[in-house]
Amino acid sequence: MAEAATTKASTLVGKLETDVEIKASAGQFHHMVAGKLHHVSKASPGKIKVCDLHEGDWGKVGSIVYWNYVHDGEAKVAKERIEAVEPEKNLITFRVIEGDLMKEYKSFLITIQVTPKHGGPGSIVHWHLEYEKISDEVAHTETLLQFCVEISKEIDEHLLSEE
């Protein structure tokens, strides 16, 4: 019986990753997603309606960020705690603690790391989503990963237009 529970639990835990090629520098992109999250709605107004600092400071571990966003045509909300920030690696990790995702997931972790592209200008944005679904009925998160790709491209365009 314990074996069956272990097998079932393993189907609920998952990871999705993708890389997005951008023209902006790794530092520029990281600065936007770590220190200037409140500007993301300007870069991606169709997807991100508002990003507010609920507690703490922008880009600091332990801070709480509140999002109003549109995913799959539906208005949604998320409250996230910043779990890790490593400026030297252009890395930030968010843990979703409240909101629409928590209706379907026990845990949801989002890590964004940006690295300079080898042999030329631009960067690679690496998105890493780790989650545990509450049940097998919960749909896969591929549309959320595509959402992340689209936001990356819109942030890139925004950063390049500011230069």
Side-chain angles (χ1 to χ4, degrees):
M1 187 109 167
E3 263 184 52
T6 303
T7 304
K8 183 173 179 168
S10 66
T11 65
L12 300 178
V13 175
K15 288 183 195 176
L16 283 175
E17 298 182 69
T18 193
D19 290 324
V20 183
E21 211 169 294
I22 61 169
K23 293 181 178 83
S25 74
Q28 282 178 304
F29 194 94
H30 175 73
H31 183 62
M32 175 73 117
V33 297
K36 296 172 90 178
L37 282 170
H38 49 297
H39 290 272
V40 173
S41 61
K42 290 178 186 158
S44 186
K47 291 175 187 60
I48 307 297
K49 297 303 176 188
V50 175
C51 179
D52 287 325
L53 185 64
H54 187 69
E55 189 179 301
D57 295 308
W58 293 113
K60 301 290 182 197
V61 171
S63 296
I64 308 290
V65 180
Y66 184 80
W67 298 88
N68 282 328
Y69 63 100
V70 177
H71 175 238
D72 286 343
E74 290 182 42
K76 300 194 177 191
V77 296
K79 190 184 275 189
E80 299 175 344
R81 180 177 51 245
I82 299 174
E83 296 275 302
V85 180
E86 298 181 44
E88 66 284 353
K89 293 182 178 178
N90 295 309
L91 179 140
I92 188 164
T93 301
F94 299 93
R95 178 175 302 280
V96 181
I97 55 174
E98 286 179 27
D100 290 287
L101 282 172
M102 300 317 288
K103 294 174 187 170
E104 299 182 311
Y105 297 92
K106 288 182 186 177
S107 65
F108 207 99
L109 206 62
I110 302 163
T111 300
I112 307 164
Q113 184 169 18
V114 195
T115 53
K117 201 183 317 174
H118 295 292
S123 309
I124 305 293
V125 181
H126 181 76
W127 288 84
H128 182 97
L129 310 180
E130 277 184 67
Y131 56 87
E132 182 178 357
K133 299 188 271 184
I134 59 171
S135 74
D136 284 323
E137 286 79 47
V138 174
H140 287 287
T141 55
E142 282 85 3
T143 63
L144 195 55
L145 198 62
Q146 184 58 36
F147 178 81
C148 296
V149 168
E150 292 165 6
I151 287 173
S152 296
K153 291 177 180 179
E154 291 174 355
I155 290 172
D156 185 41
E157 289 173 23
H158 178 77
L159 290 170
L160 295 174
S161 74
E162 286 187 329
E163 287 183 344

mmCIF file of all heavy atoms in Angstrom, residues 58-92:
data_model
loop_
_atom_site.group_PDB
_atom_site.id
_atom_site.type_symbol
_atom_site.label_atom_id
_atom_site.label_comp_id
_atom_site.label_asym_id
_atom_site.label_seq_id
_atom_site.Cartn_x
_atom_site.Cartn_y
_atom_site.Cartn_z
ATOM 1 N N TRP A 58 11.911 45.444 -2.645
ATOM 2 C CA TRP A 58 12.071 44.833 -3.967
ATOM 3 C C TRP A 58 13.397 44.086 -4.031
ATOM 4 O O TRP A 58 14.441 44.613 -3.653
ATOM 5 C CB TRP A 58 12.037 45.889 -5.074
ATOM 6 C CG TRP A 58 10.719 46.570 -5.245
ATOM 7 C CD1 TRP A 58 10.445 47.879 -4.989
ATOM 8 C CD2 TRP A 58 9.498 46.002 -5.721
ATOM 9 N NE1 TRP A 58 9.122 48.148 -5.275
ATOM 10 C CE2 TRP A 58 8.522 47.011 -5.728
ATOM 11 C CE3 TRP A 58 9.130 44.714 -6.139
ATOM 12 C CZ2 TRP A 58 7.217 46.790 -6.138
ATOM 13 C CZ3 TRP A 58 7.827 44.490 -6.555
ATOM 14 C CH2 TRP A 58 6.884 45.524 -6.548
ATOM 15 N N GLY A 59 13.350 42.857 -4.515
ATOM 16 C CA GLY A 59 14.563 42.089 -4.752
ATOM 17 C C GLY A 59 15.254 41.548 -3.516
ATOM 18 O O GLY A 59 16.395 41.096 -3.595
ATOM 19 N N LYS A 60 14.584 41.558 -2.366
ATOM 20 C CA LYS A 60 15.196 41.067 -1.120
ATOM 21 C C LYS A 60 14.524 39.779 -0.668
ATOM 22 O O LYS A 60 13.295 39.655 -0.715
ATOM 23 C CB LYS A 60 15.067 42.109 0.006
ATOM 24 C CG LYS A 60 15.713 43.444 -0.304
ATOM 25 C CD LYS A 60 17.215 43.347 -0.328
ATOM 26 C CE LYS A 60 17.818 44.711 -0.603
ATOM 27 N NZ LYS A 60 19.182 44.657 -1.024
ATOM 28 N N VAL A 61 15.326 38.819 -0.219
ATOM 29 C CA VAL A 61 14.813 37.539 0.269
ATOM 30 C C VAL A 61 13.824 37.789 1.413
ATOM 31 O O VAL A 61 14.062 38.629 2.281
ATOM 32 C CB VAL A 61 15.980 36.632 0.730
ATOM 33 C CG1 VAL A 61 15.459 35.385 1.442
ATOM 34 C CG2 VAL A 61 16.844 36.238 -0.454
ATOM 35 N N GLY A 62 12.714 37.073 1.369
ATOM 36 C CA GLY A 62 11.677 37.206 2.395
ATOM 37 C C GLY A 62 10.584 38.194 2.033
ATOM 38 O O GLY A 62 9.517 38.195 2.655
ATOM 39 N N SER A 63 10.837 39.035 1.047
ATOM 40 C CA SER A 63 9.826 40.014 0.636
ATOM 41 C C SER A 63 8.651 39.308 -0.029
ATOM 42 O O SER A 63 8.798 38.247 -0.626
ATOM 43 C CB SER A 63 10.442 41.031 -0.325
ATOM 44 O OG SER A 63 11.452 41.762 0.342
ATOM 45 N N ILE A 64 7.472 39.932 0.099
ATOM 46 C CA ILE A 64 6.238 39.379 -0.446
ATOM 47 C C ILE A 64 5.758 40.285 -1.580
ATOM 48 O O ILE A 64 5.640 41.503 -1.409
ATOM 49 C CB ILE A 64 5.126 39.280 0.629
ATOM 50 C CG1 ILE A 64 5.626 38.535 1.873
ATOM 51 C CG2 ILE A 64 3.860 38.670 0.038
ATOM 52 C CD1 ILE A 64 5.864 37.068 1.709
ATOM 53 N N VAL A 65 5.494 39.674 -2.736
ATOM 54 C CA VAL A 65 5.062 40.396 -3.929
ATOM 55 C C VAL A 65 3.668 39.896 -4.311
ATOM 56 O O VAL A 65 3.394 38.692 -4.248
ATOM 57 C CB VAL A 65 6.053 40.142 -5.093
ATOM 58 C CG1 VAL A 65 5.624 40.877 -6.337
ATOM 59 C CG2 VAL A 65 7.462 40.551 -4.692
ATOM 60 N N TYR A 66 2.791 40.812 -4.702
ATOM 61 C CA TYR A 66 1.414 40.478 -5.080
ATOM 62 C C TYR A 66 1.223 40.792 -6.566
ATOM 63 O O TYR A 66 1.536 41.895 -7.014
ATOM 64 C CB TYR A 66 0.448 41.301 -4.223
ATOM 65 C CG TYR A 66 -0.997 40.972 -4.455
ATOM 66 C CD1 TYR A 66 -1.576 39.858 -3.859
ATOM 67 C CD2 TYR A 66 -1.789 41.763 -5.284
ATOM 68 C CE1 TYR A 66 -2.909 39.543 -4.074
ATOM 69 C CE2 TYR A 66 -3.118 41.455 -5.500
ATOM 70 C CZ TYR A 66 -3.665 40.339 -4.891
ATOM 71 O OH TYR A 66 -4.979 40.023 -5.101
ATOM 72 N N TRP A 67 0.729 39.811 -7.329
ATOM 73 C CA TRP A 67 0.532 39.946 -8.769
ATOM 74 C C TRP A 67 -0.948 39.871 -9.139
ATOM 75 O O TRP A 67 -1.661 39.017 -8.636
ATOM 76 C CB TRP A 67 1.200 38.780 -9.500
ATOM 77 C CG TRP A 67 2.671 38.654 -9.347
ATOM 78 C CD1 TRP A 67 3.345 37.982 -8.367
ATOM 79 C CD2 TRP A 67 3.673 39.191 -10.201
ATOM 80 N NE1 TRP A 67 4.688 38.065 -8.578
ATOM 81 C CE2 TRP A 67 4.925 38.804 -9.691
ATOM 82 C CE3 TRP A 67 3.628 39.965 -11.361
ATOM 83 C CZ2 TRP A 67 6.120 39.170 -10.298
ATOM 84 C CZ3 TRP A 67 4.828 40.325 -11.964
ATOM 85 C CH2 TRP A 67 6.051 39.926 -11.432
ATOM 86 N N ASN A 68 -1.369 40.724 -10.052
ATOM 87 C CA ASN A 68 -2.627 40.572 -10.789
ATOM 88 C C ASN A 68 -2.197 40.302 -12.218
ATOM 89 O O ASN A 68 -1.488 41.120 -12.815
ATOM 90 C CB ASN A 68 -3.466 41.854 -10.769
ATOM 91 C CG ASN A 68 -4.193 42.041 -9.474
ATOM 92 O OD1 ASN A 68 -4.593 41.083 -8.827
ATOM 93 N ND2 ASN A 68 -4.366 43.296 -9.079
ATOM 94 N N TYR A 69 -2.610 39.157 -12.780
ATOM 95 C CA TYR A 69 -2.167 38.800 -14.123
ATOM 96 C C TYR A 69 -3.287 38.105 -14.885
ATOM 97 O O TYR A 69 -4.311 37.737 -14.312
ATOM 98 C CB TYR A 69 -0.917 37.917 -14.055
ATOM 99 C CG TYR A 69 -1.111 36.572 -13.380
ATOM 100 C CD1 TYR A 69 -1.279 35.416 -14.138
ATOM 101 C CD2 TYR A 69 -1.125 36.446 -11.993
ATOM 102 C CE1 TYR A 69 -1.458 34.179 -13.523
ATOM 103 C CE2 TYR A 69 -1.296 35.219 -11.378
ATOM 104 C CZ TYR A 69 -1.464 34.092 -12.149
ATOM 105 O OH TYR A 69 -1.643 32.873 -11.543
ATOM 106 N N VAL A 70 -3.084 37.947 -16.185
ATOM 107 C CA VAL A 70 -4.059 37.272 -17.034
ATOM 108 C C VAL A 70 -3.363 36.070 -17.654
ATOM 109 O O VAL A 70 -2.361 36.212 -18.350
ATOM 110 C CB VAL A 70 -4.598 38.215 -18.137
ATOM 111 C CG1 VAL A 70 -5.549 37.467 -19.057
ATOM 112 C CG2 VAL A 70 -5.269 39.431 -17.526
ATOM 113 N N HIS A 71 -3.902 34.873 -17.373
ATOM 114 C CA HIS A 71 -3.347 33.632 -17.914
ATOM 115 C C HIS A 71 -4.475 32.823 -18.529
ATOM 116 O O HIS A 71 -5.511 32.636 -17.897
ATOM 117 C CB HIS A 71 -2.650 32.846 -16.791
ATOM 118 C CG HIS A 71 -2.156 31.510 -17.224
ATOM 119 N ND1 HIS A 71 -2.547 30.354 -16.626
ATOM 120 C CD2 HIS A 71 -1.312 31.149 -18.219
ATOM 121 C CE1 HIS A 71 -1.968 29.332 -17.220
ATOM 122 N NE2 HIS A 71 -1.218 29.777 -18.196
ATOM 123 N N ASP A 72 -4.282 32.379 -19.751
ATOM 124 C CA ASP A 72 -5.314 31.637 -20.484
ATOM 125 C C ASP A 72 -6.630 32.412 -20.537
ATOM 126 O O ASP A 72 -7.711 31.840 -20.415
ATOM 127 C CB ASP A 72 -5.545 30.247 -19.864
ATOM 128 C CG ASP A 72 -4.414 29.278 -20.165
ATOM 129 O OD1 ASP A 72 -3.625 29.547 -21.096
ATOM 130 O OD2 ASP A 72 -4.320 28.253 -19.472
ATOM 131 N N GLY A 73 -6.531 33.737 -20.679
ATOM 132 C CA GLY A 73 -7.713 34.574 -20.817
ATOM 133 C C GLY A 73 -8.459 34.880 -19.525
ATOM 134 O O GLY A 73 -9.482 35.538 -19.548
ATOM 135 N N GLU A 74 -7.926 34.400 -18.390
ATOM 136 C CA GLU A 74 -8.600 34.621 -17.113
ATOM 137 C C GLU A 74 -7.765 35.518 -16.201
ATOM 138 O O GLU A 74 -6.551 35.338 -16.095
ATOM 139 C CB GLU A 74 -8.808 33.288 -16.383
ATOM 140 C CG GLU A 74 -9.831 32.385 -17.013
ATOM 141 C CD GLU A 74 -10.004 31.104 -16.208
ATOM 142 O OE1 GLU A 74 -10.034 31.168 -14.956
ATOM 143 O OE2 GLU A 74 -10.088 30.043 -16.839
ATOM 144 N N ALA A 75 -8.432 36.453 -15.523
ATOM 145 C CA ALA A 75 -7.760 37.293 -14.529
ATOM 146 C C ALA A 75 -7.426 36.433 -13.319
ATOM 147 O O ALA A 75 -8.273 35.673 -12.827
ATOM 148 C CB ALA A 75 -8.657 38.451 -14.132
ATOM 149 N N LYS A 76 -6.183 36.519 -12.853
ATOM 150 C CA LYS A 76 -5.732 35.712 -11.718
ATOM 151 C C LYS A 76 -4.888 36.561 -10.783
ATOM 152 O O LYS A 76 -4.466 37.652 -11.136
ATOM 153 C CB LYS A 76 -4.927 34.510 -12.212
ATOM 154 C CG LYS A 76 -5.749 33.618 -13.132
ATOM 155 C CD LYS A 76 -5.127 32.297 -13.365
ATOM 156 C CE LYS A 76 -6.071 31.462 -14.230
ATOM 157 N NZ LYS A 76 -5.684 30.091 -14.315
ATOM 158 N N VAL A 77 -4.651 36.015 -9.580
ATOM 159 C CA VAL A 77 -3.804 36.683 -8.595
ATOM 160 C C VAL A 77 -2.804 35.674 -8.036
ATOM 161 O O VAL A 77 -3.044 34.467 -8.051
ATOM 162 C CB VAL A 77 -4.624 37.297 -7.431
ATOM 163 C CG1 VAL A 77 -5.544 38.397 -7.934
ATOM 164 C CG2 VAL A 77 -5.399 36.236 -6.674
ATOM 165 N N ALA A 78 -1.693 36.208 -7.552
ATOM 166 C CA ALA A 78 -0.689 35.373 -6.877
ATOM 167 C C ALA A 78 0.034 36.223 -5.849
ATOM 168 O O ALA A 78 0.315 37.398 -6.084
ATOM 169 C CB ALA A 78 0.309 34.802 -7.873
ATOM 170 N N LYS A 79 0.314 35.605 -4.720
ATOM 171 C CA LYS A 79 1.169 36.232 -3.724
ATOM 172 C C LYS A 79 2.398 35.337 -3.636
ATOM 173 O O LYS A 79 2.284 34.120 -3.467
ATOM 174 C CB LYS A 79 0.466 36.318 -2.369
ATOM 175 C CG LYS A 79 1.242 37.184 -1.364
ATOM 176 C CD LYS A 79 0.590 37.180 0.000
ATOM 177 C CE LYS A 79 -0.500 38.209 0.082
ATOM 178 N NZ LYS A 79 -0.991 38.355 1.485
ATOM 179 N N GLU A 80 3.580 35.939 -3.814
ATOM 180 C CA GLU A 80 4.820 35.179 -3.840
ATOM 181 C C GLU A 80 5.824 35.744 -2.845
ATOM 182 O O GLU A 80 5.894 36.957 -2.650
ATOM 183 C CB GLU A 80 5.450 35.222 -5.242
ATOM 184 C CG GLU A 80 4.569 34.636 -6.310
ATOM 185 C CD GLU A 80 5.140 34.786 -7.709
ATOM 186 O OE1 GLU A 80 6.073 35.587 -7.926
ATOM 187 O OE2 GLU A 80 4.646 34.104 -8.607
ATOM 188 N N ARG A 81 6.601 34.828 -2.248
ATOM 189 C CA ARG A 81 7.697 35.222 -1.361
ATOM 190 C C ARG A 81 8.996 35.003 -2.125
ATOM 191 O O ARG A 81 9.187 33.963 -2.757
ATOM 192 C CB ARG A 81 7.686 34.384 -0.088
ATOM 193 C CG ARG A 81 8.821 34.770 0.882
ATOM 194 C CD ARG A 81 8.812 34.005 2.192
ATOM 195 N NE ARG A 81 8.735 32.568 1.995
ATOM 196 C CZ ARG A 81 7.713 31.801 2.364
ATOM 197 N NH1 ARG A 81 6.651 32.316 2.952
ATOM 198 N NH2 ARG A 81 7.737 30.499 2.153
ATOM 199 N N ILE A 82 9.878 35.979 -2.068
ATOM 200 C CA ILE A 82 11.193 35.820 -2.683
ATOM 201 C C ILE A 82 12.019 34.901 -1.794
ATOM 202 O O ILE A 82 12.250 35.199 -0.627
ATOM 203 C CB ILE A 82 11.893 37.184 -2.888
ATOM 204 C CG1 ILE A 82 11.051 38.064 -3.827
ATOM 205 C CG2 ILE A 82 13.308 36.980 -3.431
ATOM 206 C CD1 ILE A 82 11.569 39.484 -3.986
ATOM 207 N N GLU A 83 12.410 33.750 -2.355
ATOM 208 C CA GLU A 83 13.141 32.724 -1.604
ATOM 209 C C GLU A 83 14.654 32.871 -1.730
ATOM 210 O O GLU A 83 15.381 32.523 -0.816
ATOM 211 C CB GLU A 83 12.753 31.334 -2.115
ATOM 212 C CG GLU A 83 11.305 30.986 -1.886
ATOM 213 C CD GLU A 83 11.051 30.422 -0.514
ATOM 214 O OE1 GLU A 83 11.651 29.407 -0.152
ATOM 215 O OE2 GLU A 83 10.224 31.004 0.209
ATOM 216 N N ALA A 84 15.120 33.318 -2.901
ATOM 217 C CA ALA A 84 16.560 33.428 -3.137
ATOM 218 C C ALA A 84 16.822 34.528 -4.153
ATOM 219 O O ALA A 84 16.058 34.705 -5.097
ATOM 220 C CB ALA A 84 17.117 32.105 -3.663
ATOM 221 N N VAL A 85 17.909 35.267 -3.931
ATOM 222 C CA VAL A 85 18.381 36.262 -4.885
ATOM 223 C C VAL A 85 19.899 36.141 -4.923
ATOM 224 O O VAL A 85 20.556 36.239 -3.886
ATOM 225 C CB VAL A 85 17.996 37.711 -4.472
ATOM 226 C CG1 VAL A 85 18.506 38.709 -5.498
ATOM 227 C CG2 VAL A 85 16.500 37.852 -4.284
ATOM 228 N N GLU A 86 20.429 35.875 -6.102
ATOM 229 C CA GLU A 86 21.875 35.785 -6.280
ATOM 230 C C GLU A 86 22.273 36.677 -7.446
ATOM 231 O O GLU A 86 22.333 36.216 -8.592
ATOM 232 C CB GLU A 86 22.293 34.332 -6.533
ATOM 233 C CG GLU A 86 21.974 33.407 -5.368
ATOM 234 C CD GLU A 86 22.422 31.980 -5.637
ATOM 235 O OE1 GLU A 86 23.553 31.782 -6.139
ATOM 236 O OE2 GLU A 86 21.627 31.063 -5.339
ATOM 237 N N PRO A 87 22.534 37.974 -7.167
ATOM 238 C CA PRO A 87 22.845 38.914 -8.247
ATOM 239 C C PRO A 87 24.051 38.487 -9.096
ATOM 240 O O PRO A 87 24.049 38.689 -10.308
ATOM 241 C CB PRO A 87 23.143 40.228 -7.512
ATOM 242 C CG PRO A 87 22.498 40.084 -6.186
ATOM 243 C CD PRO A 87 22.509 38.627 -5.864
ATOM 244 N N GLU A 88 25.042 37.858 -8.471
ATOM 245 C CA GLU A 88 26.230 37.449 -9.232
ATOM 246 C C GLU A 88 25.910 36.349 -10.239
ATOM 247 O O GLU A 88 26.626 36.164 -11.216
ATOM 248 C CB GLU A 88 27.367 37.013 -8.292
ATOM 249 C CG GLU A 88 27.116 35.749 -7.482
ATOM 250 C CD GLU A 88 26.177 35.898 -6.286
ATOM 251 O OE1 GLU A 88 25.779 37.033 -5.949
ATOM 252 O OE2 GLU A 88 25.837 34.858 -5.681
ATOM 253 N N LYS A 89 24.808 35.632 -10.020
ATOM 254 C CA LYS A 89 24.358 34.586 -10.952
ATOM 255 C C LYS A 89 23.123 35.030 -11.732
ATOM 256 O O LYS A 89 22.562 34.244 -12.493
ATOM 257 C CB LYS A 89 24.013 33.298 -10.190
ATOM 258 C CG LYS A 89 25.197 32.612 -9.552
ATOM 259 C CD LYS A 89 24.735 31.339 -8.873
ATOM 260 C CE LYS A 89 25.891 30.585 -8.252
ATOM 261 N NZ LYS A 89 25.404 29.372 -7.567
ATOM 262 N N ASN A 90 22.669 36.271 -11.523
ATOM 263 C CA ASN A 90 21.440 36.784 -12.144
ATOM 264 C C ASN A 90 20.280 35.818 -11.919
ATOM 265 O O ASN A 90 19.542 35.466 -12.836
ATOM 266 C CB ASN A 90 21.649 37.041 -13.640
ATOM 267 C CG ASN A 90 22.651 38.149 -13.877
ATOM 268 O OD1 ASN A 90 22.533 39.229 -13.311
ATOM 269 N ND2 ASN A 90 23.651 37.874 -14.686
ATOM 270 N N LEU A 91 20.110 35.402 -10.660
ATOM 271 C CA LEU A 91 19.113 34.389 -10.303
ATOM 272 C C LEU A 91 18.165 34.918 -9.234
ATOM 273 O O LEU A 91 18.586 35.621 -8.316
ATOM 274 C CB LEU A 91 19.839 33.143 -9.782
ATOM 275 C CG LEU A 91 18.963 31.973 -9.343
ATOM 276 C CD1 LEU A 91 19.611 30.666 -9.813
ATOM 277 C CD2 LEU A 91 18.778 31.936 -7.853
ATOM 278 N N ILE A 92 16.889 34.579 -9.386
ATOM 279 C CA ILE A 92 15.889 34.889 -8.361
ATOM 280 C C ILE A 92 14.890 33.733 -8.312
ATOM 281 O O ILE A 92 14.564 33.145 -9.343
ATOM 282 C CB ILE A 92 15.176 36.239 -8.609
ATOM 283 C CG1 ILE A 92 14.283 36.614 -7.402
ATOM 284 C CG2 ILE A 92 14.412 36.248 -9.924
ATOM 285 C CD1 ILE A 92 13.858 38.075 -7.367
#
